Structure formats: C-alpha cells, structure tokens
Amino acid sequence: MAEQKSLALGFVRGEPVVEKPEDLYIPPDALEVILETFSGPMDLLLYLIRRQKLEMVDIPVLTITRQYVEYVDMMKELKLELAADYLVMAAMLAEIKSRLLLPKPPQEDDEEEDPRAELVRRLQEYEAIRHGAEYIEQQPQVGRDTWLSEVATDARDYVTIPPPAVTLEDLTLAFSRVLKNVELQAHHQIKREQLSTRARMSHVLELLQHQTYISFSRLFVRSEGRAGAVVSFLAILELVKESMIELSQMEPMSDIHIRLKRQHDEFDPA
Amino acid sequence: MMNSTQLKQLLEAALFAHPQPLSAEQLQQLLLTESDASLAAVKAALTNLQQDYSERGVELVKVASGYRFQTRAELGQRLAGLWQEKPPRYSQALLETLALIVYRQPITRGEIEQVRGVSVSSNIIKTLQERNWIKVIGVKEVPGRPQLYATTAEFLDDFNLNNLEQLPDIDSQPAADRTAETATNERDTLND
Amino acid sequence: MMNSTQLKQLLEAALFAHPQPLSAEQLQQLLLTESDASLAAVKAALTNLQQDYSERGVELVKVASGYRFQTRAELGQRLAGLWQEKPPRYSQALLETLALIVYRQPITRGEIEQVRGVSVSSNIIKTLQERNWIKVIGVKEVPGRPQLYATTAEFLDDFNLNNLEQLPDIDSQPAADRTAETATNERDTLND
C-alpha cells in the first residue's frame, strides 16, 4: 500500500486508504473481464480486504462498504448478470455500517455481539472454502495430469457368458404360477394326470420315433410292479385319447400293437 | 537433451496411456522437440523398453501401426475373469413354458399357449432347445399336426434328477369332478 | 499354488488392462482360486509391484476404489501433447461449489449459496453430477426437503485420493477471541 500513488483519503490502522484502487482506472471492457472473474460478492469482498492486506477480523467496514458499492455500481453500469446477488451483500454491509455508527446504548449486557461478527464468520468460512477449492485444484487430476493405462488385451476373447441357471424351485414356482393362472380362468383346464403318467407318455412317443410299432406288453415291465403297470396303462389311454397313438390287434387275444396315429390311415379305424 | 531415463519414462507413459499403437515417428513428433531426442534415440529407447518388459505381465510389441503394450498371450484366459459377467436370468415366460413342458409333456405349443393365455415366442422354444432341455418327440395328429415337446435326458442331468418322478408333484386341481368337465372340453377339441 | 513371479505377472497384466481400479479383494476373487494365492500373497505382490514401478513412467497407485496404473504426474504436461483435446478447466464458481460439497458434505444447495453469497447455477451441479463427482445422498428434513449432496468414490479416484482426509485441512483458523479486540479498534477508527 505504501507505494500507492493515489491520494490517500484517510488512514485505517496506520495504513493509507485510497479512494479508488488503481485497477479501477482501466478501460471498461477490460474492467468487465476483471469483474466477471469474481465468482460472487464474497469473492469481491475478500479481494477488497486482502488487497489492503487487512486481517479478516480487522475489517474497516466503512471503507470496505464504500469500495464494494463502487464496484457494484460499475457492475450495474456494465449490466453484469450477477448484480442482484451483489446488491444483497451491499445491503448487508450497509446495515452493519449503520449499526456500528449508532451510539452504543449503555447496557450491562457486555455479551452483545459485534455487528461485524456474522460477516467475519461468513468471510472466514468463505475463505476456508477458497482454500479448499485451491487444494482440490492442485490435486493431480486424471485426464489433466495423469492418464490411466489402456493396455490391449485378448482376455475378452476368452469370456464366456454362462447360460442362466434355473433351479428346481424356479421351475416348481413357475408351474404353480401357471396353475394359479388357470384356476382364475376357469374355462381353461389342464389335465390331472400325475407327472409319472405324462413322463411315460413322452417315453412311449419317443420309442415310436425309432420304430413303427411297439408291442403293448413291452410297456409293462415286471420290475416296476403294479404301480408301473398302472402308469403305463394310463399313459397309453391318454395318448389314445389325445390321438397321438393308435392301437391295433390282428386277432382277439393276440398282442396289441401301438403305433403313431396317422392322418390317412390305411388300417381300419379302431 | 533429455537423458535416456527421462526419455524412456516418457515413451513408456505415452504407450501405456494411449489407446492406439504409436509409431516411433509419432512419438517423436507428438512428445518431443528436435533438441530433446533424435528419432534414433527414440527407437533405441523403445528397444530398451521391450527388453525391460520381456519377463513381465505385459509386453511391448510392434504391430502394423506402431508400438503398443499388451497383456501376455499366456495370461489371456486367466484374465478373462475380470470381464466375467453374471449369467443373465430367464424370463417368467420361459420358465413357465419350461414348467409346462416338464409337467405336462408331451405337449404342443398350442396347448402351452392355451394354458398360459399368451402366445409362446419362438425364441423361448429355441432357447430351450439350444440348452438341450426339450426336444420334439412327435407330432399330434390334429389339424396342423403340431409338434409335441418333451424333456430330454440332459434336462434331468442339469437338474440333478434321475427321472421326472423325482420332481415335486404340484397339482392344484382338487375336485375330481373337474376331470369330467375337462374330458368334455377335450372331446370338443378332438371333434374340431 | 502359483509362484510369486506368476502371481505378480497376472496382477500386473490385470491392473494394466482393466479400465477401473481393482482392490486386492477383487483381484483375488476375479482371478484366483483359494489354492492359487491367499489375499495376503496378493497384497504382498501388489506392494512388490509398486516398488518395481517406483522409477518408471507409470506408477501403481492406490486410490479410493483400488489399485491402478497411471502415468506419473510429473510427465503430465509433456504427455498432454498426445491428445487433441485440452483437459477441461473448471471455473472458480465450480471449484468453490465442489469444495463446499467436499469439505462440508452432506450439504444442500441453499447452504452452498449461503456461503458463496451467490446462487448456484444448475449447470455447475449438472457438470459435477455428469462427472460422477457428486451425488444426492438424501434430503434434509427442513421445509422444502432440499437434496443433500456428497462426493463419490469416483471423485476420490479422479483426484488421486484414497479418502477425503488426504486433502489439507481448511479449518485451522486463528482464535476467535480476536474479534472482540478488533471491534474496539474499529470503533476507535470510526471516531477519528
């Protein structure tokens, strides 16, 4: 400040206070650029304080307010967009100033807060955040200071996506869902055979994929016992009923043959 | 003039970070001035780097468009684990179709559709066939001669079953008289 | 059991090839079986690798979400020549907003505006969210229920941090009692 060439208007804590900072005498378009570099009223305020090398807690509110208002007026002239936010701060400064200028009423309560305290707190918090922003900015950044390795690899060629796993539970749940659905729409029915019958039906049809006829007796295996015989019998009846197979017998009491039903039957219909 | 360690570090970093291969000429042009290092110095440094990485998990190879780092071929299979995805899940429609084929085989597509009330997409049937869980075991002698689906031995294997009877019996049709009703419907169908 | 050279090669290749950082646990789970190497062996190999790369153009660093190879920060300026695009430069307003979210999280937009004395542009929040540096982690139970912002692991990763504590402290302010003393001075000045 000592080398300031402008006229000192007064002294604050032994320092000359100048009417306008030197950098105010710059062409308006350049000024606009400078003013736009302030990220907000707190930034401007902090700049005004720091420029005079003042301690945060020593804010000469009168001086600072005047300087601040000068800047804001210029911003208004230049129609900078942020003016509204700056006006709020100007009003706050004006309020502090007027409270400071009011004679202090005699009172026992010494605890009354300095009107500047709130402003000081805000400035301190803002300055702390400014430091934080600086620290973040200085951190080595991916894409600016460091780059991640992007090494070619053939590993992806070896990736195989396993087919979805299905559990027995998934299956039974799905079937229960279907059954519930069917019950809701009563006109659809699904037949009531046991799974063993249905499985035997598939088995019979499969056998008939490989041979034209199978003998009826072949479907009754002694080791399966009575239950097995019942299942086979039900399966055959069901297959006949669903017109998937047909039975033929050359003569009474002879073995019955099973074959796939054909649409154009060269046999006599049963 | 850059010393050879600095030059090597710079080239190494560039080749690791750049997604495409870079030739010695490109490296020289993009990263260095004439006074930093000559093209010959760049080439020497690259050879040197190739040696440094001869025994490591990545190697510096020269391909058509330049140099690049790549993972060693022997490691490819193991590294696949990094990109291994969780198996997708099958849709409800697929599971219900499979369940119907399991519990009501042999069954036609039309019958599945009738029970589920919606059409069965060909994709579902295709998926189930590709997994070898179902197969066509014949046709039903009704108009259109639709194919009959049943489960395969592989289905049993995949679900750890010896036979279909081991599946839990789910039959929610309680009343016996419903059978009669069904029979009537069935006869109607047959008469179509 | 893998020998330590094999293990190191595998981890090295994985970390070079994988686009995101990987933790020791992930490396173990994705690449190895229990019989290959223990987690302790993986960690030892990683430390070993960090030493191997301490003098090279790339280094193995540990950030919030795991280990990754990256080019040395000192080479940044020179390497920038590899890319056409200049790295983005962020405005003071964006950096202050980010700093508030970093240092004062969880924080609402209103609280950010309170400290900065200016409204926060939606663009800034959008940019920070698009970079995946911040996220909404809830709402503050005050009238209007404003959203609360916090930083993400990706923020830490992108700024080469393991955790937020690695950033310098901003709250070591001089003693508050100086305010009272100053107040007296100010009044004196005003009386001049």
Side-chain angles (χ1 to χ4, degrees):
Chain A
M1 281 295 135
E3 55 275 349
Q4 269 282 4
K5 292 190 182 73
S6 313
L7 191 66
L9 294 181
F11 290 86
V12 174
R13 289 177 62 70
E15 297 264 9
V17 174
V18 296
E19 185 184 23
K20 283 180 175 181
E22 273 186 310
D23 53 356
L24 288 188
Y25 303 108
I26 44 179
D29 43 337
L31 185 64
E32 185 169 344
V33 172
I34 290 178
L35 292 176
E36 273 183 334
T37 60
F38 290 114
S39 73
M42 295 298 283
D43 194 15
L44 172 56
L45 204 51
L46 197 63
Y47 164 78
L48 294 174
I49 292 165
R50 285 288 171 245
R51 203 188 41 166
Q52 298 186 37
K53 299 188 169 66
L54 292 172
E55 281 296 317
M56 182 86 72
V57 289
D58 287 350
I59 304 171
V61 174
L62 286 182
T63 318
I64 290 299
T65 302
R66 200 183 56 243
Q67 292 183 352
Y68 182 90
V69 169
E70 275 170 17
Y71 271 84
V72 170
D73 285 345
M74 282 188 292
M75 286 180 170
K76 277 195 284 192
E77 273 169 46
L78 292 165
K79 295 194 168 58
L80 292 187
E81 271 179 35
L82 288 173
D85 288 312
Y86 287 87
L87 291 177
V88 173
M89 177 61 70
M92 185 191 172
L93 289 171
E95 200 229 326
I96 294 171
K97 190 176 75 175
S98 61
R99 279 170 61 191
L100 281 172
L101 290 172
L102 283 177
K104 208 182 173 200
Q107 54 176 336
E108 315 79 65
D109 188 7
D110 250 358
E111 297 297 300
E112 198 219 10
E113 207 178 33
D114 186 304
R116 295 172 306 170
E118 170 62 16
L119 178 64
V120 168
R121 260 198 303 274
R122 283 189 61 183
L123 278 164
Q124 282 173 336
E125 171 66 357
Y126 178 70
E127 192 170 41
I129 291 305
R130 286 283 303 243
H131 288 142
E134 224 169 283
Y135 297 143
I136 291 170
E137 224 270 330
Q138 284 162 1
Q139 276 298 116
Q141 234 181 86
V142 171
R144 187 189 71 180
D145 310 295
T146 68
W147 287 272
L148 308 185
S149 64
E150 287 203 42
V151 162
T153 182
D154 60 347
R156 281 190 186 80
D157 301 344
Y158 295 96
V159 175
T160 49
I161 301 170
V166 179
T167 64
L168 218 52
E169 205 195 346
D170 294 333
L171 212 54
T172 53
L173 278 175
F175 191 57
S176 314
R177 242 184 354 248
V178 171
L179 289 178
K180 223 170 270 168
N181 201 23
V182 165
E183 272 170 19
L184 288 175
Q185 327 163 5
H187 59 284
H188 286 307
Q189 297 297 332
I190 47 176
K191 292 164 248 90
R192 207 178 145 267
E193 299 83 33
Q194 293 297 305
L195 181 61
S196 52
T197 314
R198 303 303 303 191
R200 188 63 55 102
M201 286 164 70
S202 288
H203 179 65
V204 172
L205 286 179
E206 223 182 324
L207 289 174
L208 287 170
Q209 296 292 302
H210 307 293
Q211 51 196 109
T212 317
Y213 295 99
I214 33 173
S215 136
F216 192 71
S217 54
R218 223 193 110 184
L219 296 175
F220 297 90
V221 184
R222 184 172 291 274
S223 62
E224 288 180 351
R226 189 182 292 267
V230 170
V231 166
S232 286
F233 191 66
L234 286 173
I236 290 163
L237 287 183
E238 191 58 38
L239 284 166
V240 171
K241 202 175 80 183
E242 291 191 15
S243 23
M244 293 178 192
I245 59 167
E246 55 194 10
L247 307 177
S248 60
Q249 197 176 27
M250 287 322 199
E251 53 197 73
M253 302 308 285
S254 70
D255 202 3
I256 297 170
H257 290 286
I258 299 167
R259 68 166 196 182
L260 288 174
K261 186 177 163 77
R262 297 205 189 117
Q263 239 158 3
H264 303 293
D265 215 325
E266 63 265 49
F267 275 62
D268 288 331
Chain B
M1 200 72 176
M2 247 180 193
N3 72 37
S4 68
T5 309
Q6 287 173 316
L7 179 60
K8 239 170 75 172
Q9 283 192 353
L10 184 63
L11 298 176
E12 185 181 33
L15 289 166
F16 270 123
H18 201 259
Q20 282 88 38
L22 290 165
S23 67
E25 290 76 11
Q26 282 175 308
L27 286 162
Q28 225 263 342
Q29 279 166 22
L30 293 171
L31 299 173
L32 303 158
T33 62
E34 262 312 307
S35 58
D36 287 330
S38 65
L39 185 60
V42 170
K43 286 181 175 170
L46 289 170
T47 310
N48 201 297
L49 273 174
Q50 281 185 311
Q51 279 159 9
D52 289 356
Y53 282 90
S54 60
E55 302 280 319
R56 306 209 65 103
V58 287
E59 53 191 349
L60 182 57
V61 295
K62 191 166 185 292
V63 292
S65 49
Y67 290 84
R68 74 168 186 205
F69 277 106
Q70 64 184 36
T71 59
R72 294 194 85 77
E74 309 93 274
L75 298 172
Q77 197 138 25
R78 274 209 105 109
L79 290 171
L82 292 177
W83 286 277
Q84 202 66 61
E85 281 170 45
K86 280 211 179 112
R89 285 188 61 83
Y90 282 138
S91 66
Q92 261 198 18
L94 182 138
L95 290 173
E96 290 182 11
T97 304
L98 176 61
L100 274 167
I101 297 173
V102 169
Y103 280 94
R104 287 299 177 254
Q105 60 187 289
I107 191 169
T108 67
R109 190 156 157 172
E111 287 163 345
I112 297 169
E113 290 176 345
Q114 206 184 351
V115 174
R116 291 198 50 239
V118 287
S119 60
V120 173
S121 91
S122 299
N123 268 337
I124 288 182
I125 298 291
K126 206 176 126 217
T127 304
L128 291 172
Q129 282 178 320
E130 277 169 1
R131 282 211 78 167
N132 243 332
W133 283 348
I134 65 164
K135 64 181 172 190
V136 173
I137 54 155
V139 295
K140 189 159 181 172
E141 287 305 336
V142 293
R145 306 184 79 238
Q147 295 183 314
L148 284 162
Y149 295 103
T151 52
T152 61
E154 202 164 325
F155 166 80
L156 294 175
D157 291 347
D158 285 357
F159 283 80
N160 280 308
L161 299 165
N162 281 317
N163 51 55
L164 287 170
E165 283 77 13
Q166 288 183 322
L167 276 165
D169 212 355
I170 300 167
D171 218 326
S172 69
Q173 302 233 351
D177 59 336
R178 297 188 67 171
T179 318
E181 192 193 315
T182 317
T184 323
N185 291 338
E186 181 73 12
R187 224 168 289 127
D188 292 346
T189 313
L190 287 172
N191 292 341
D192 281 354
Chain C
M1 200 72 176
M2 248 181 193
N3 72 39
S4 67
T5 307
Q6 288 173 315
L7 178 60
K8 238 171 76 173
Q9 282 192 353
L10 183 64
L11 298 177
E12 185 181 33
L15 290 166
F16 269 124
H18 200 257
Q20 281 89 38
L22 291 163
S23 68
E25 288 76 11
Q26 282 176 309
L27 287 162
Q28 223 263 342
Q29 279 168 20
L30 294 172
L31 298 173
L32 303 157
T33 62
E34 260 312 307
S35 57
D36 288 330
S38 66
L39 184 60
V42 169
K43 286 181 176 171
L46 289 170
T47 309
N48 203 295
L49 272 174
Q50 282 186 311
Q51 280 158 8
D52 289 357
Y53 283 89
S54 60
E55 303 279 321
R56 305 208 65 104
V58 286
E59 54 188 348
L60 181 57
V61 295
K62 189 169 185 288
V63 290
S65 32
Y67 291 85
R68 73 177 177 209
F69 275 108
Q70 66 184 33
T71 61
R72 299 192 86 75
E74 305 94 276
L75 298 171
Q77 216 147 13
R78 281 207 103 108
L79 287 172
L82 288 176
W83 288 273
Q84 299 280 320
E85 269 179 66
K86 288 231 161 70
R89 274 195 59 83
Y90 298 107
S91 67
Q92 181 65 24
L94 182 138
L95 287 169
E96 286 175 15
T97 305
L98 178 59
L100 270 161
I101 299 174
V102 168
Y103 281 96
R104 298 290 185 252
Q105 60 186 296
I107 190 170
T108 67
R109 194 155 159 164
E111 288 163 347
I112 296 170
E113 292 176 344
Q114 175 66 27
V115 175
R116 292 197 51 239
V118 62
S119 56
V120 173
S121 92
S122 295
N123 268 338
I124 288 181
I125 298 289
K126 210 176 122 217
T127 304
L128 292 173
Q129 279 179 322
E130 277 169 0
R131 302 242 48 183
N132 240 334
W133 288 346
I134 64 164
K135 63 180 171 195
V136 173
I137 53 153
V139 294
K140 189 159 182 169
E141 286 304 336
V142 293
R145 305 183 83 238
Q147 294 184 314
L148 284 164
Y149 295 102
T151 51
T152 61
E154 210 165 318
F155 162 76
L156 295 172
D157 289 350
D158 280 358
F159 286 82
N160 278 289
L161 296 164
N162 252 314
N163 51 54
L164 288 170
E165 286 71 38
Q166 286 186 323
L167 279 171
D169 187 23
I170 57 166
D171 286 317
S172 40
Q173 291 289 328
D177 59 342
R178 293 194 60 183
T179 318
E181 187 197 317
T182 321
T184 326
N185 291 337
E186 176 76 7
R187 228 166 282 128
D188 294 350
T189 313
L190 288 172
N191 292 339
D192 279 356

